[in-house]
Amino acid sequence: MKKQNVRTISLIVCTFTYLLVGAAVFDALESETEKRRWEALQDAEDMIIRKYNISQEDFKVMETVVLKSESHKAGQQWKFTGAFYYATTVLTTIGYGHSTPSTVGGKLFTMCYAIVGIPLGLVMFQSIGERVNRLSSYVIKAVRTSLRCKRTVASEVDLICVVTTLSSLTIAGGAAAFSRFEGWSYFDSVYYCFITLTTIGFGDMVALQRDNALNRKPEYVMFALIFILFGLAIVAASLNLLVLRFVTMNTEDERRDEAQAMQALQVAVKLEGDVITSNGSILSGYEGHDGQSLNGTNTSSMCSCHCMCLNGNRHKKENHFGRNNDAENQYKLRRSPTHIRHLLPEVVPMQDLNYDYDTQSMHTLADRGTVDSSYMGVDMVDSTTHGSPLRPHKLLKRNVSLLSFRI
């Protein structure tokens, strides 16, 4: 099984295991509190119905009015300032849910706006995160150079430490400001900042929803928007270092496998016999008929003849060599893999060269114009004798495969 498949299955198993663990923990922490709150609300509802002598239907109407008027306590949500705040929550995928469109045109435009805006926002924050990491590496290098450290280049661990510190300072500073303007506790403010910058956006705590702050406190509105945009850029820098490294692992493994397959394909072609190309060069490193390399000890002879066989002459050679089919089949080339056979040149095998038969065959081929008579026995040299012509008794043990190319 491929490494990518194993990693994917492992991630799926780990994710579902993490979900099961989280569900068990949340159940243990929140279920009892939810039950007590529900009982308290039921007691309050019964008390109001008995005290004011109203029916269940009237109480439901009053409840609906209270819930619908909650979003209007902060003032008008769809003026330009409130609309800009809403567009920011859409583009950043925070989605507090404090204000939602009620018209068909507003809902349709929200979908179209999100289709273009969400990818644009992701690319922008990712680019800003890369710039933040580059700036951090320059600062680290400058500081280490001034301190005369041996190693001045910033590593990924250094960048992670810097980005984590920036994220902590952003959340801490934002929590202090929101605690002052909203009247929340500092812990609740930290919770709000974390939920906002991670784009979870539950909507249980939303800034700018008190005392008509959207219209009366423009400086606070500006601070909230800058906090969201700057904080998301810092979070994007963290994701660039941590998450994207694991996301690109599958792509890197696939490219590595492709490179290894191409490398294996280049060395996978094996031919039998001495292979001579049309320009006279020898394809070394291939196995001969006797299972040994061209560079081995038993294959000391080389043929430098320029043999070229066209398509029309091939049938004549096959008819000429067809007199001894057993010998021809014995020295046939080993079949190569199907997917690379088109890469191999056409090879016309010859019979065992013996002194009596093959000398006559070579003369016959020369008479037919297939082999130049000037190469008969002259260019057949032995490397062990430093270029001396091969004698007939040495030709008895040679198996020569003529490599022909189509023109």
Side-chain angles (χ1 to χ4, degrees):
M1 185 177 291
K2 288 186 177 181
K3 186 186 298 182
Q4 298 91 319
N5 297 334
V6 174
R7 184 185 295 114
T8 302
I9 295 174
S10 301
L11 288 174
I12 293 174
V13 172
C14 291
T15 301
F16 277 96
T17 304
Y18 193 72
L19 290 174
L20 294 174
V21 172
V25 173
F26 288 129
D27 185 8
L29 294 175
E30 297 292 336
S31 60
E32 292 297 328
T33 303
E34 181 189 20
K35 183 179 180 180
R36 290 195 299 268
R37 286 184 176 180
W38 172 251
E39 293 175 354
L41 290 174
Q42 288 296 113
D43 295 338
E45 179 181 349
D46 295 338
M47 184 268 293
I48 292 173
I49 291 175
R50 289 194 307 267
K51 182 177 180 179
Y52 297 100
N53 194 18
I54 59 177
S55 62
Q56 289 285 346
E57 290 77 11
D58 294 337
F59 182 82
K60 294 297 182 183
V61 171
M62 183 176 62
E63 185 180 19
T64 302
V65 171
V66 172
L67 292 176
K68 293 296 183 180
S69 62
E70 181 68 24
S71 59
H72 297 280
K73 292 181 179 180
Q76 292 181 324
Q77 296 286 335
W78 293 106
K79 287 296 182 180
F80 182 79
T81 306
F84 188 84
Y85 189 51
Y86 170 78
T88 303
T89 59
V90 172
L91 187 140
T92 57
T93 68
I94 295 175
Y96 288 126
H98 64 289
S99 61
T100 55
S102 57
T103 63
V104 176
K107 294 177 181 179
L108 180 62
F109 182 74
T110 297
M111 292 186 290
C112 298
Y113 186 79
I115 290 175
V116 179
I118 291 175
L120 179 63
L122 292 176
V123 173
M124 182 195 70
F125 288 123
Q126 183 64 31
S127 180
I128 295 175
E130 291 179 356
R131 296 301 94 191
V132 170
N133 291 332
R134 182 64 60 87
L135 179 61
S136 301
S137 63
Y138 285 155
V139 172
I140 293 174
K141 183 177 181 180
V143 171
R144 288 184 174 179
T145 303
S146 62
L147 296 177
R148 297 181 180 179
C149 297
K150 294 182 178 179
R151 182 179 179 182
T152 60
V153 179
S155 62
E156 290 187 359
V157 178
D158 298 332
L159 294 178
I160 291 174
C161 292
V162 171
V163 172
T164 303
T165 303
L166 289 176
S167 301
S168 301
L169 292 177
T170 302
I171 293 176
F178 288 119
S179 177
R180 177 184 175 184
F181 285 102
E182 297 291 339
W184 299 331
S185 64
Y186 187 77
F187 179 79
D188 288 339
S189 299
V190 171
Y191 167 78
Y192 165 76
C193 293
F194 181 83
I195 295 300
T196 298
L197 297 184
T198 54
T199 69
I200 296 174
F202 288 129
D204 54 341
M205 300 177 66
V206 183
L208 303 174
Q209 300 300 303
R210 292 182 57 189
D211 303 328
N212 198 13
L214 287 172
N215 300 319
R216 295 181 180 178
K217 299 178 180 179
E219 68 282 356
Y220 180 39
V221 176
M222 186 65 64
F223 169 79
L225 294 176
I226 292 176
F227 168 79
I228 292 174
L229 298 178
F230 179 77
L232 288 176
I234 299 299
V235 172
S238 303
L239 295 177
N240 188 30
L241 291 173
L242 298 176
V243 179
L244 294 183
R245 177 67 61 180
F246 296 97
V247 171
T248 56
M249 277 187 176
N250 286 337
T251 304
E252 293 176 356
D253 290 340
E254 290 176 359
R255 292 178 180 176
R256 189 182 302 110
D257 292 343
E258 291 178 359
Q260 292 177 356
M262 293 298 296
Q263 184 178 4
L265 182 63
Q266 293 176 358
V267 299
V269 181
K270 297 293 183 180
L271 299 178
E272 292 184 2
D274 295 339
V275 180
I276 304 94
T277 62
S278 60
N279 59 1
S281 61
I282 297 176
L283 300 180
S284 61
Y286 298 100
E287 294 181 357
H289 294 298
D290 52 358
Q292 296 182 359
S293 173
L294 286 174
N295 298 326
T297 57
N298 294 338
T299 57
S300 58
S301 298
M302 299 181 293
C303 178
S304 61
C305 60
H306 300 274
C307 304
M308 183 174 297
C309 178
L310 298 179
N311 217 12
N313 296 334
R314 192 192 317 157
H315 300 291
K316 297 180 181 180
K317 291 182 180 181
E318 290 177 354
N319 294 333
H320 177 73
F321 296 129
R323 290 176 295 177
N324 193 354
N325 291 331
D326 294 337
E328 180 180 357
N329 293 332
Q330 183 179 1
Y331 298 108
K332 189 182 296 182
L333 288 175
R334 184 182 303 136
R335 295 180 61 85
S336 60
T338 306
H339 63 282
I340 60 174
R341 287 188 61 83
H342 64 282
L343 301 177
L344 297 177
E346 295 185 6
V347 178
V348 180
M350 295 185 63
Q351 297 164 313
D352 250 355
L353 292 179
N354 54 62
Y355 183 72
D356 297 329
Y357 170 75
D358 286 288
T359 304
Q360 299 175 1
S361 300
M362 295 292 285
H363 283 289
T364 304
L365 291 176
D367 295 337
R368 293 181 180 182
T370 305
V371 178
D372 191 356
S373 60
S374 62
Y375 292 97
M376 292 270 303
V378 177
D379 287 346
M380 301 293 292
V381 295
D382 190 355
S383 61
T384 59
T385 58
H386 303 287
S388 60
L390 282 176
R391 297 179 181 179
H393 71 275
K394 289 191 176 183
L395 288 175
L396 294 176
K397 297 182 180 181
R398 295 300 301 144
N399 300 324
V400 180
S401 296
L402 300 180
L403 182 63
S404 63
F405 292 84
R406 288 186 178 182
I407 302 179

